Amino acid sequence: MSPRLRPELDGIPIYKPGRPPAVADGVTAYKLSSNENPYPPLPGVLEVAAAAAQSFNRYPDLACTALHAELADRFEVPVAHIATGTGSVGVAQQLVQSTAGAGDEVIYAWRSFEAYPIIAQISGATSIQVPLDADENHDLDAMAAAITDRTRLIFVCNPNNPTGTIVRRAELERFLDRVPSDVLVVLDEAYIEFVADADFPNGVELYRDRPNVSVLRTFSKAYGLAGLRVGFAIAHEPVAAALRKTAVPFGVSQLAQDAAVASLRAEDALLERVKALVVERARVHEGLAAQGWTLPETQANFVWLRLGERTLDFAAACERAGVTVRPFPDEGVRITIGETEANDVLLRTAEAFRKEL
Ligand SMILES: *Cc1c(COP(=O)(O)O)cnc(C)c1O
């Protein structure tokens, strides 16, 4: 007999990481499959991380004191409203664990971030997936209509992964007004630094007078610390306190804490890089549109091509050309904005693929 495992674990989808590029002879390989930042760590961050590495025989600061203070200062929120975790995926999992168990429901758009169904199911909760509308946007009316007395948490992924689309301020406020005050709304803003739309609702402003709204942010994307695993929530007291209870003790390493603080302090360099990526994003988007592709406007560091049954063929063509993209079979392909050369290869490949259709 094998040990009895919780039946909730049956059928949990395995998180598919973006694949690293296969290296073929004479072809430069680029990874455009995980929405990572193509730039090396921000100035000064590597030095700080190296210094922190000197003492990794010691446990990190459990309370993440310096990082929490820095974040509280940056966002002008009480330090008690900050909670950090092992990436914002880790914090998202804690939020679900804190609110939803067997018989409870978690609502989110679909397709959206693939971690949501996994963490809901681990908690024993039921996922209520509300299809995106025809333009790849959150269908907030349908999401509001899906709320029942079993709903405990709603994710709004803004911008949405993998489509890059955003929910705008007025429609989000209207939606929040319709959500019962005992249901937690989590605004997952992993890509907020890349947003250029003036109508984008900054979650940190929205959460202030709404006790049932929490904001998720990460150092993995714009800040370029994906490998260090640090993300955070900004949440009102009872929720933030629940996050401190559900945290894996010492989950965020000292290296990650110190590198995150240093990254926050290197904001000028960060903004420059983000600006360059946003320019590249426009070039890729316009290039694809000029080739005849129809694709949603994106405010994140990736573009989305709804390719349907041609998804895997397109991904294979990219792979042969040296770029790895992220296919969702029979749905579409998410392509991260990377180095200029990588984006050039992608545009050439997409053009050739289109000509053969
Ligand atoms: C990448 C991503 C995250 C962040 O993941 P980390 O665990 O912080 O690396 C969170 N939400 C969405 C929608 C993402 O795409």
Side-chain angles (χ1 to χ4, degrees):
M1 279 243 281
S2 64
R4 277 202 242 180
L5 302 174
R6 289 170 59 221
E8 286 91 341
L9 301 190
D10 291 339
I12 287 193
I14 304 295
Y15 190 101
K16 285 205 194 77
R19 284 204 300 119
V23 190
D25 281 348
V27 180
T28 311
Y30 299 101
K31 185 178 174 207
L32 301 182
S33 54
S34 293
N35 297 342
E36 293 150 336
N37 195 316
Y39 293 104
L42 288 159
V45 174
L46 205 54
E47 292 74 5
V48 166
Q54 303 279 343
S55 51
F56 60 39
N57 54 314
R58 305 290 178 190
Y59 284 108
D61 173 7
L62 179 88
C64 298
T65 314
L67 177 54
H68 286 200
E70 190 84 15
L71 287 168
D73 191 49
R74 158 69 49 106
F75 293 105
E76 299 180 338
V77 302
V79 76
H81 286 199
I82 304 278
T84 37
T86 55
S88 56
V89 171
V91 185
Q93 178 157 14
Q94 292 171 248
L95 285 166
V96 174
Q97 278 177 333
S98 300
T99 54
D104 298 329
E105 295 173 349
V106 176
I107 297 177
Y108 49 88
W110 201 249
R111 175 156 294 272
S112 188
F113 187 33
E114 65 184 317
Y116 301 154
I118 298 172
I119 60 186
Q121 201 167 332
I122 289 173
S123 219
T126 301
S127 277
I128 306 295
Q129 301 184 334
V130 178
L132 298 170
D133 71 13
D135 297 321
E136 315 278 8
N137 292 307
H138 276 64
D139 185 345
L140 291 180
D141 283 336
M143 289 176 71
I147 296 170
T148 70
D149 55 11
R150 302 195 145 182
T151 306
R152 294 291 175 272
L153 184 149
I154 304 172
F155 283 112
V156 176
C157 190
N158 204 23
N160 188 48
N161 176 3
T163 59
T165 49
I166 60 165
V167 173
R168 292 193 164 71
R169 185 178 296 114
E171 52 174 336
L172 183 56
E173 285 181 357
R174 246 190 336 269
F175 174 75
L176 294 176
D177 289 342
R178 292 172 69 182
V179 177
S181 59
D182 63 347
V183 173
L184 181 67
V185 180
V186 177
L187 305 174
D188 185 347
E189 300 181 333
Y191 301 96
I192 189 170
E193 292 85 359
F194 300 105
V195 174
D197 188 312
D199 273 340
F200 183 85
N202 185 327
V204 178
E205 297 315 315
L206 285 178
Y207 109 102
R208 290 186 194 276
D209 54 3
R210 297 179 190 265
N212 68 326
V213 172
S214 300
V215 184
L216 271 184
R217 300 279 183 93
T218 181
F219 286 97
S220 294
K221 305 290 160 54
Y223 283 93
L225 302 183
L228 286 183
R229 312 308 304 130
V230 51
F232 60 98
I234 298 177
H236 285 272
E237 189 58 77
V239 176
L243 290 173
R244 284 189 278 278
K245 289 182 191 166
T246 51
V248 173
F250 306 113
V252 181
S253 71
Q254 200 61 49
L255 220 120
Q257 294 180 36
D258 293 356
V261 170
S263 297
L264 284 167
R265 291 179 183 171
E267 186 157 54
D268 291 347
L270 171 91
L271 291 176
E272 238 170 76
R273 291 171 177 195
V274 164
K275 214 193 273 173
L277 285 169
V278 167
V279 169
E280 274 298 284
R281 172 177 79 195
R283 185 175 75 88
V284 170
H285 194 279
E286 285 159 21
L288 290 169
Q291 293 169 14
W293 297 97
T294 306
L295 70 170
E297 204 181 300
T298 174
Q299 293 291 327
N301 67 337
F302 51 84
V303 295
W304 169 248
L305 288 179
R306 193 167 273 283
L307 283 145
E309 60 189 14
R310 301 192 304 271
T311 294
L312 290 178
D313 288 344
F314 182 89
C318 289
E319 187 87 31
R320 284 193 295 278
V323 295
T324 311
V325 298
R326 176 69 167 86
F328 297 88
D330 295 322
E331 291 182 60
V333 170
R334 188 192 68 202
I335 307 156
T336 307
I337 304 301
E339 306 84 333
T340 306
E341 313 80 62
N343 303 333
D344 286 340
V345 177
L346 183 273
L347 283 169
R348 281 199 298 275
T349 309
E351 185 168 34
F353 188 88
R354 194 148 180 100
K355 285 193 177 132
E356 279 170 25
L357 290 183

